[in-house]
Tab-separated table of all heavy atoms in Angstrom:
chain	number	residue	atom	x	y	z
A	90	ILE	N	-37.028	33.948	-119.674
A	90	ILE	CA	-36.841	32.639	-119.137
A	90	ILE	C	-38.134	31.826	-119.135
A	90	ILE	O	-38.137	30.694	-119.416
A	90	ILE	CB	-36.283	32.720	-117.704
A	90	ILE	CG1	-34.819	33.266	-117.790
A	90	ILE	CG2	-36.275	31.387	-117.037
A	90	ILE	CD1	-34.181	33.450	-116.412
A	91	SER	N	-39.231	32.542	-118.790
A	91	SER	CA	-40.581	31.925	-118.839
A	91	SER	C	-40.915	31.348	-120.206
A	91	SER	O	-41.324	30.218	-120.385
A	91	SER	CB	-41.666	32.938	-118.383
A	91	SER	OG	-41.393	33.447	-117.078
A	92	ILE	N	-40.626	32.204	-121.210
A	92	ILE	CA	-40.855	31.793	-122.560
A	92	ILE	C	-40.044	30.632	-122.974
A	92	ILE	O	-40.477	29.673	-123.668
A	92	ILE	CB	-40.674	33.021	-123.554
A	92	ILE	CG1	-41.576	34.177	-123.203
A	92	ILE	CG2	-40.944	32.517	-125.027
A	92	ILE	CD1	-43.056	33.830	-123.220
A	93	LEU	N	-38.793	30.617	-122.593
A	93	LEU	CA	-37.812	29.490	-122.952
A	93	LEU	C	-38.252	28.192	-122.206
A	93	LEU	O	-38.243	27.118	-122.825
A	93	LEU	CB	-36.419	29.877	-122.444
A	93	LEU	CG	-35.697	31.000	-123.312
A	93	LEU	CD1	-34.389	31.298	-122.655
A	93	LEU	CD2	-35.542	30.516	-124.728
A	94	ILE	N	-38.788	28.274	-121.027
A	94	ILE	CA	-39.247	27.071	-120.295
A	94	ILE	C	-40.524	26.540	-121.037
A	94	ILE	O	-40.625	25.328	-121.261
A	94	ILE	CB	-39.575	27.401	-118.866
A	94	ILE	CG1	-38.295	27.641	-118.087
A	94	ILE	CG2	-40.359	26.263	-118.190
A	94	ILE	CD1	-38.541	28.104	-116.672
A	95	PHE	N	-41.341	27.494	-121.472
A	95	PHE	CA	-42.533	27.041	-122.212
A	95	PHE	C	-42.182	26.344	-123.519
A	95	PHE	O	-42.681	25.266	-123.883
A	95	PHE	CB	-43.402	28.271	-122.508
A	95	PHE	CG	-44.647	28.045	-123.337
A	95	PHE	CD1	-45.681	27.381	-122.789
A	95	PHE	CD2	-44.646	28.389	-124.665
A	95	PHE	CE1	-46.831	27.122	-123.553
A	95	PHE	CE2	-45.756	28.167	-125.413
A	95	PHE	CZ	-46.840	27.524	-124.883
A	96	LEU	N	-41.110	26.871	-124.189
A	96	LEU	CA	-40.702	26.304	-125.457
A	96	LEU	C	-40.021	24.900	-125.167
A	96	LEU	O	-40.108	23.988	-125.986
A	96	LEU	CB	-39.801	27.222	-126.189
A	96	LEU	CG	-40.392	28.509	-126.697
A	96	LEU	CD1	-39.331	29.395	-127.326
A	96	LEU	CD2	-41.525	28.253	-127.730
A	97	PHE	N	-39.279	24.864	-124.059
A	97	PHE	CA	-38.646	23.582	-123.709
A	97	PHE	C	-39.665	22.518	-123.399
A	97	PHE	O	-39.464	21.367	-123.698
A	97	PHE	CB	-37.719	23.849	-122.530
A	97	PHE	CG	-36.892	22.620	-122.156
A	97	PHE	CD1	-35.872	22.205	-122.984
A	97	PHE	CD2	-37.172	21.969	-120.959
A	97	PHE	CE1	-35.133	21.023	-122.618
A	97	PHE	CE2	-36.389	20.806	-120.646
A	97	PHE	CZ	-35.367	20.384	-121.441
A	98	TRP	N	-40.749	22.948	-122.745
A	98	TRP	CA	-41.856	22.002	-122.566
A	98	TRP	C	-42.366	21.400	-123.860
A	98	TRP	O	-42.583	20.239	-124.056
A	98	TRP	CB	-42.951	22.639	-121.716
A	98	TRP	CG	-44.117	21.790	-121.430
A	98	TRP	CD1	-44.170	20.378	-121.295
A	98	TRP	CD2	-45.514	22.223	-121.306
A	98	TRP	NE1	-45.440	20.000	-120.974
A	98	TRP	CE2	-46.284	21.045	-121.068
A	98	TRP	CE3	-46.134	23.426	-121.417
A	98	TRP	CZ2	-47.705	21.116	-120.792
A	98	TRP	CZ3	-47.519	23.495	-121.194
A	98	TRP	CH2	-48.265	22.402	-120.928
A	99	ALA	N	-42.583	22.333	-124.796
A	99	ALA	CA	-43.039	21.928	-126.164
A	99	ALA	C	-42.042	20.964	-126.804
A	99	ALA	O	-42.413	19.918	-127.391
A	99	ALA	CB	-43.294	23.144	-127.040
A	100	ALA	N	-40.772	21.284	-126.695
A	100	ALA	CA	-39.753	20.416	-127.293
A	100	ALA	C	-39.655	19.073	-126.599
A	100	ALA	O	-39.462	18.058	-127.264
A	100	ALA	CB	-38.364	21.089	-127.158
A	101	THR	N	-39.899	19.073	-125.255
A	101	THR	CA	-39.908	17.802	-124.555
A	101	THR	C	-41.030	16.893	-125.042
A	101	THR	O	-40.829	15.706	-125.323
A	101	THR	CB	-40.090	18.048	-123.046
A	101	THR	OG1	-39.016	18.838	-122.598
A	101	THR	CG2	-40.077	16.720	-122.252
A	102	LEU	N	-42.235	17.480	-125.203
A	102	LEU	CA	-43.338	16.717	-125.680
A	102	LEU	C	-43.161	16.201	-127.097
A	102	LEU	O	-43.530	15.151	-127.538
A	102	LEU	CB	-44.660	17.515	-125.584
A	102	LEU	CG	-45.128	17.851	-124.133
A	102	LEU	CD1	-46.379	18.696	-124.199
A	102	LEU	CD2	-45.474	16.504	-123.360
A	103	GLY	N	-42.579	17.143	-127.951
A	103	GLY	CA	-42.297	16.747	-129.305
A	103	GLY	C	-41.258	15.622	-129.445
A	103	GLY	O	-41.479	14.699	-130.170
A	104	SER	N	-40.262	15.637	-128.505
A	104	SER	CA	-39.294	14.515	-128.554
A	104	SER	C	-39.926	13.246	-128.061
A	104	SER	O	-39.641	12.167	-128.649
A	104	SER	CB	-38.166	14.914	-127.574
A	104	SER	OG	-37.511	16.123	-127.996
A	105	LEU	N	-40.771	13.320	-127.057
A	105	LEU	CA	-41.395	12.108	-126.601
A	105	LEU	C	-42.289	11.527	-127.697
A	105	LEU	O	-42.379	10.283	-127.874
A	105	LEU	CB	-42.254	12.400	-125.371
A	105	LEU	CG	-41.537	12.672	-124.097
A	105	LEU	CD1	-42.525	13.147	-122.959
A	105	LEU	CD2	-40.785	11.410	-123.598
A	106	LEU	N	-43.058	12.356	-128.393
A	106	LEU	CA	-43.881	11.955	-129.457
A	106	LEU	C	-43.012	11.297	-130.612
A	106	LEU	O	-43.464	10.249	-131.177
A	106	LEU	CB	-44.679	13.134	-130.012
A	106	LEU	CG	-45.679	12.838	-131.169
A	106	LEU	CD1	-46.805	11.896	-130.605
A	106	LEU	CD2	-46.308	14.144	-131.643
A	107	PHE	N	-41.882	11.857	-130.871
A	107	PHE	CA	-41.017	11.320	-131.905
A	107	PHE	C	-40.430	9.903	-131.500
A	107	PHE	O	-40.397	9.060	-132.322
A	107	PHE	CB	-39.862	12.295	-132.189
A	107	PHE	CG	-38.920	11.800	-133.280
A	107	PHE	CD1	-39.283	11.896	-134.610
A	107	PHE	CD2	-37.713	11.262	-132.947
A	107	PHE	CE1	-38.406	11.443	-135.651
A	107	PHE	CE2	-36.828	10.831	-133.949
A	107	PHE	CZ	-37.190	10.925	-135.322
A	108	PHE	N	-39.960	9.798	-130.281
A	108	PHE	CA	-39.258	8.597	-129.879
A	108	PHE	C	-40.221	7.498	-129.304
A	108	PHE	O	-40.007	6.326	-129.473
A	108	PHE	CB	-38.196	8.927	-128.772
A	108	PHE	CG	-36.992	9.660	-129.320
A	108	PHE	CD1	-36.871	10.977	-129.011
A	108	PHE	CD2	-36.112	9.074	-130.105
A	108	PHE	CE1	-35.755	11.704	-129.496
A	108	PHE	CE2	-35.045	9.702	-130.621
A	108	PHE	CZ	-34.862	11.072	-130.340
Side-chain angles (χ1 to χ4, degrees):
I90 291 176
S91 302
I92 301 302
L93 288 175
I94 291 175
F95 176 74
L96 295 176
F97 184 69
W98 178 33
T101 301
L102 293 176
S104 300
L105 288 172
L106 183 61
F107 180 79
F108 289 108

